[in-house]
Amino acid sequence: ESPFRWHGRAVAQCLRFLAAEMQYSGKEVQSLRHLFRGGTPWQTSPPMTTELLRDFFLASYVVRRRPQPAMWMDQPVARLFASEEDHRRMQQDAVLREAYTRLAEAGLQPSDVFRLLDVDGDGQLQPQDFGTRGSDLGLPPELVVRLFQAVDEGGH
C-alpha cells in the first residue's frame, strides 16, 4: 500500500463534498473536518469557518443536476457544519450511546457500572478507576478511554 494513499482518499472525499454529496461515514466526516480546519501541512490559509463551509456546500447543492434529499440538515454531511463545541458534544454523545448500548447488551445498568468503577467508593471516578476496573466491563480498551474522556469534567 502506498504511503500516500490517504491523499487519494482525501481528494476523493473533497470532490464528493464539492459535488454536494451528503452521505459520509463517521470516519469520512472526521477526515473532511480535519482537512477543512487546516489539517494539512501545506495549507497556509486560515481554516474555513463552519459558516463559510456551509454556504459553499449550499451553493454546490443548488447547482446540482442530480436530485438530492431536500433535508440536508438530517444527513451526515450536516455534522461538518457544527461548531467546535457542538462537535465535541456530538462526539461525547456518540461515545456514551455506544458504551450504554454495549453495557445494556451485557445486562449492566449505569448505577452498577458506576459502583464497579468507583474502586475507592468516594463517589467520583478517577482515571485510575477506569484503568483498574475498565476491562471488567467487557468494553474494548479504546472505548474505555473514550468513555472516560467523555465523562471527565475535571480535565483529569
Side-chain angles (χ1 to χ4, degrees):
E1 181 173 312
S2 167
F4 296 104
R5 185 170 178 180
W6 71 272
H7 286 103
R9 286 192 301 265
V11 168
Q13 289 172 9
C14 289
L15 290 173
R16 285 180 56 212
F17 181 81
L18 180 62
E21 291 291 331
M22 295 187 204
Q23 297 299 320
Y24 295 93
S25 70
K27 260 187 161 175
E28 290 170 333
V29 169
Q30 285 294 93
S31 175
L32 281 171
R33 192 171 177 80
H34 181 71
L35 288 167
F36 292 145
R37 305 269 183 210
T40 57
W42 58 85
Q43 191 165 357
T44 57
S45 60
M48 290 188 79
T49 65
T50 55
E51 294 81 19
L52 285 174
L53 195 57
R54 185 194 60 234
D55 291 348
F56 180 84
F57 175 80
L58 291 175
S60 299
Y61 177 80
V62 169
V63 297
R64 284 210 48 155
R65 292 184 185 194
R66 287 188 291 157
Q68 288 283 329
M71 299 303 291
W72 64 268
M73 293 86 54
D74 298 330
Q75 302 297 320
V77 71
R79 292 180 285 177
L80 287 171
F81 313 129
S83 68
E84 287 301 316
E85 182 180 323
D86 288 341
H87 181 69
R88 274 190 296 280
R89 191 178 68 249
M90 286 187 292
Q91 285 182 314
Q92 180 183 34
D93 290 347
V95 168
L96 293 174
R97 270 193 310 277
E98 180 182 355
Y100 180 83
T101 301
R102 287 178 180 233
L103 293 169
E105 288 171 354
L108 294 170
Q109 296 296 317
S111 57
D112 298 332
V113 172
F114 187 86
R115 278 194 298 277
L116 177 70
L117 290 174
D118 188 16
V119 176
D120 57 8
D122 67 353
Q124 296 183 4
L125 297 179
Q126 304 297 326
Q128 59 271 22
D129 295 334
F130 278 76
T132 305
R133 303 297 299 267
S135 60
D136 295 344
L137 299 174
L139 299 175
E142 181 264 342
L143 180 57
V144 172
V145 170
R146 289 182 17 236
L147 178 61
F148 178 76
Q149 291 169 340
V151 299
D152 181 27
E153 294 178 358
H156 297 101

